[in-house]
Coordinates of all heavy atoms in Angstrom, one line a residue:
M1 N -15.4 4.5 36.3 CA -15.8 3.3 35.5 C -17.3 3.3 35.1 O -17.6 2.9 34.0 CB -15.5 2.0 36.4 CG -15.9 0.7 35.7 SD -15.6 -0.7 36.8 CE -16.8 -0.4 38.1
A2 N -18.1 3.7 36.0 CA -19.6 3.7 35.7 C -20.1 4.8 34.9 O -21.1 4.6 34.2 CB -20.3 3.6 37.1
F3 N -19.5 6.0 35.0 CA -20.1 7.1 34.3 C -19.2 7.8 33.3 O -19.6 8.0 32.2 CB -20.4 8.2 35.4 CG -21.5 7.7 36.4 CD1 -21.1 7.4 37.7 CD2 -22.8 7.6 36.0 CE1 -22.1 7.0 38.6 CE2 -23.7 7.1 36.9 CZ -23.4 6.8 38.2
V4 N -17.9 8.0 33.6 CA -17.1 8.7 32.7 C -16.5 7.8 31.5 O -16.5 8.2 30.4 CB -15.9 9.4 33.4 CG1 -15.0 10.2 32.5 CG2 -16.5 10.4 34.5
E5 N -16.1 6.6 31.9 CA -15.5 5.7 30.9 C -16.5 5.4 29.8 O -16.1 5.4 28.6 CB -15.0 4.5 31.6 CG -14.2 3.6 30.7 CD -13.6 2.4 31.4 OE1 -13.4 2.5 32.6 OE2 -13.3 1.4 30.7
P6 N -17.7 5.1 30.0 CA -18.7 4.8 28.9 C -18.9 6.0 28.0 O -19.0 5.9 26.8 CB -20.0 4.5 29.6 CG -19.6 4.0 31.0 CD -18.3 4.8 31.3
L7 N -18.8 7.2 28.6 CA -19.0 8.4 27.8 C -17.8 8.6 26.8 O -17.9 8.9 25.6 CB -19.1 9.7 28.6 CG -20.4 9.8 29.4 CD1 -20.3 11.0 30.3 CD2 -21.6 9.9 28.5
L8 N -16.6 8.4 27.4 CA -15.4 8.4 26.5 C -15.4 7.4 25.4 O -15.0 7.6 24.3 CB -14.1 8.3 27.4 CG -13.8 9.4 28.4 CD1 -12.6 9.1 29.2 CD2 -13.6 10.8 27.6
A9 N -15.8 6.2 25.8 CA -15.9 5.1 24.8 C -16.9 5.4 23.7 O -16.6 5.2 22.5 CB -16.2 3.8 25.5
Q10 N -18.0 6.0 24.1 CA -19.0 6.3 23.1 C -18.5 7.4 22.2 O -18.7 7.4 20.9 CB -20.3 6.8 23.8 CG -21.4 7.0 22.8 CD -22.7 7.4 23.5 OE1 -22.7 7.6 24.7 NE2 -23.8 7.5 22.8
M11 N -17.8 8.4 22.7 CA -17.2 9.5 21.9 C -16.2 8.9 20.9 O -16.1 9.3 19.8 CB -16.6 10.6 22.8 CG -17.6 11.4 23.5 SD -17.0 12.7 24.6 CE -15.3 12.8 24.4
R12 N -15.3 8.0 21.5 CA -14.3 7.5 20.6 C -14.9 6.6 19.5 O -14.4 6.7 18.3 CB -13.4 6.6 21.5 CG -12.2 6.0 20.7 CD -11.3 5.2 21.6 NE -11.9 4.4 22.6 CZ -12.5 3.2 22.4 NH1 -12.4 2.7 21.2 NH2 -13.0 2.5 23.3
E13 N -15.9 5.9 19.8 CA -16.5 5.0 18.8 C -17.4 5.8 17.7 O -17.6 5.3 16.6 CB -17.4 3.9 19.4 CG -16.6 2.9 20.2 CD -17.4 2.0 21.1 OE1 -18.6 2.2 21.0 OE2 -16.8 1.2 21.8
S14 N -17.8 6.9 18.1 CA -18.7 7.7 17.2 C -18.0 8.6 16.3 O -18.6 9.4 15.5 CB -19.7 8.5 18.0 OG -19.1 9.5 18.7
T15 N -16.6 8.6 16.3 CA -15.9 9.5 15.4 C -16.0 9.0 13.9 O -15.9 7.8 13.6 CB -14.4 9.6 15.8 OG1 -13.8 10.5 14.9 CG2 -13.7 8.2 15.7
N16 N -16.2 9.9 13.0 CA -16.4 9.7 11.6 C -15.4 10.4 10.8 O -15.6 10.9 9.7 CB -17.8 10.0 11.1 CG -18.9 9.1 11.8 OD1 -18.6 8.0 12.0 ND2 -20.0 9.7 12.0
A17 N -14.2 10.5 11.3 CA -13.1 11.2 10.7 C -12.7 10.5 9.4 O -12.7 9.3 9.3 CB -11.9 11.4 11.6
A18 N -12.2 11.3 8.4 CA -11.7 10.7 7.2 C -10.4 9.9 7.5 O -9.8 10.1 8.5 CB -11.4 11.8 6.2
P19 N -10.1 8.9 6.6 CA -9.0 8.0 6.8 C -7.7 8.6 7.3 O -7.1 8.1 8.2 CB -8.8 7.3 5.5 CG -10.2 7.3 4.9 CD -10.8 8.6 5.3
P20 N -7.2 9.7 6.8 CA -5.9 10.2 7.3 C -6.0 10.7 8.8 O -5.1 10.7 9.5 CB -5.4 11.3 6.4 CG -6.5 11.5 5.4 CD -7.5 10.5 5.6
F21 N -7.2 11.1 9.1 CA -7.5 11.7 10.5 C -8.2 10.7 11.4 O -8.4 11.0 12.6 CB -8.2 13.0 10.4 CG -7.5 14.0 9.5 CD1 -8.0 14.3 8.2 CD2 -6.4 14.6 9.9 CE1 -7.3 15.2 7.4 CE2 -5.7 15.5 9.1 CZ -6.2 15.8 7.8
G22 N -8.7 9.6 10.9 CA -9.4 8.7 11.7 C -8.5 7.9 12.6 O -7.2 8.0 12.5
P23 N -9.0 7.1 13.5 CA -8.2 6.3 14.4 C -7.4 5.3 13.7 O -7.8 4.6 12.8 CB -9.2 5.7 15.4 CG -10.5 5.7 14.7 CD -10.5 6.9 13.7
G24 N -6.1 5.2 14.1 CA -5.2 4.2 13.5 C -5.3 2.9 14.3 O -6.1 2.7 15.2
S25 N -4.5 1.9 13.9 CA -4.6 0.6 14.5 C -4.2 0.6 16.0 O -4.8 -0.1 16.8 CB -3.7 -0.4 13.7 OG -2.4 0.0 13.8
G26 N -3.2 1.5 16.3 CA -2.8 1.6 17.7 C -4.0 2.2 18.6 O -4.2 1.7 19.7
E27 N -4.6 3.2 18.1 CA -5.7 3.8 18.8 C -6.9 2.8 19.0 O -7.5 2.7 20.0 CB -6.2 5.1 18.2 CG -7.2 5.8 19.0 CD -7.6 7.1 18.4 OE1 -7.0 7.6 17.4 OE2 -8.6 7.7 18.8
K28 N -7.1 2.0 17.9 CA -8.2 1.0 18.0 C -7.8 -0.1 19.0 O -8.7 -0.5 19.7 CB -8.4 0.4 16.6 CG -9.1 1.4 15.7 CD -9.3 0.8 14.3 CE -9.9 1.7 13.3 NZ -10.1 1.2 12.0
Q29 N -6.6 -0.5 19.0 CA -6.1 -1.5 19.9 C -6.1 -1.1 21.4 O -6.5 -1.9 22.2 CB -4.7 -2.0 19.5 CG -4.3 -3.2 20.3 CD -2.9 -3.7 19.8 OE1 -2.3 -3.1 18.9 NE2 -2.4 -4.8 20.4
F30 N -5.6 0.1 21.6 CA -5.5 0.5 23.0 C -6.5 1.6 23.4 O -6.4 2.2 24.5 CB -4.1 1.2 23.2 CG -3.0 0.2 23.1 CD1 -2.2 0.1 21.9 CD2 -2.8 -0.8 24.1 CE1 -1.2 -0.8 21.8 CE2 -1.8 -1.7 23.9 CZ -1.0 -1.7 22.8
G31 N -7.6 1.7 22.6 CA -8.6 2.7 23.0 C -9.3 2.5 24.3 O -9.5 3.4 25.0
E32 N -9.6 1.2 24.6 CA -10.3 1.0 25.9 C -9.4 1.3 27.1 O -9.8 1.8 28.1 CB -10.7 -0.5 25.9 CG -11.8 -0.8 24.9 CD -12.2 -2.3 25.0 OE1 -12.0 -2.9 26.0 OE2 -12.8 -2.8 24.0
I33 N -8.1 0.9 26.9 CA -7.2 1.2 28.0 C -7.0 2.7 28.2 O -7.0 3.3 29.3 CB -5.8 0.6 27.8 CG1 -6.0 -1.0 27.8 CG2 -4.8 1.0 28.8 CD1 -4.7 -1.7 27.4
M34 N -7.0 3.4 27.1 CA -6.9 4.9 27.1 C -8.1 5.5 27.8 O -8.0 6.4 28.6 CB -6.7 5.4 25.7 CG -6.3 6.9 25.7 SD -5.9 7.5 24.0 CE -7.5 7.5 23.2
D35 N -9.3 5.0 27.4 CA -10.5 5.5 28.1 C -10.5 5.3 29.6 O -10.8 6.1 30.3 CB -11.7 4.7 27.5 CG -12.0 5.1 26.0 OD1 -11.5 6.1 25.6 OD2 -12.7 4.3 25.4
R36 N -10.0 4.1 30.0 CA -9.9 3.8 31.4 C -9.0 4.7 32.2 O -9.3 5.3 33.2 CB -9.5 2.3 31.6 CG -9.5 1.9 33.1 CD -9.2 0.4 33.2 NE -10.0 -0.4 32.3 CZ -9.6 -1.3 31.5 NH1 -8.3 -1.5 31.4 NH2 -10.4 -2.0 30.7
V37 N -7.8 4.9 31.6 CA -6.8 5.8 32.3 C -7.3 7.2 32.3 O -7.2 7.9 33.3 CB -5.5 5.7 31.6 CG1 -4.5 6.7 32.1 CG2 -4.9 4.3 31.7
L38 N -7.8 7.7 31.2 CA -8.3 9.1 31.1 C -9.5 9.3 32.0 O -9.5 10.4 32.6 CB -8.6 9.4 29.6 CG -9.0 10.9 29.3 CD1 -7.9 11.8 29.7 CD2 -9.3 11.0 27.9

C-alpha cells in the first residue's frame, strides 16, 4: 500500500497511448482496484 501501489498508480496515470491503445472506460473505472491487487 505504501510503496508499490503508488508507483503502479503513477505509471497507469502517466500513459499517453493513442486512443485505440489508451485505457478504456473499464480500466479507468477499475484501475485503482487493479493497482491494489497487483
Side-chain angles (χ1 to χ4, degrees):
M1 179 182 66
F3 298 107
V4 179
E5 189 175 335
L7 291 174
L8 293 175
Q10 185 177 7
M11 286 177 12
R12 182 177 41 81
E13 291 170 1
S14 67
T15 184
N16 294 327
F21 302 106
S25 62
E27 187 175 349
K28 288 178 183 177
Q29 184 176 5
F30 293 106
E32 292 178 23
I33 295 172
M34 189 172 74
D35 292 341
R36 186 174 307 127
V37 171
L38 185 59

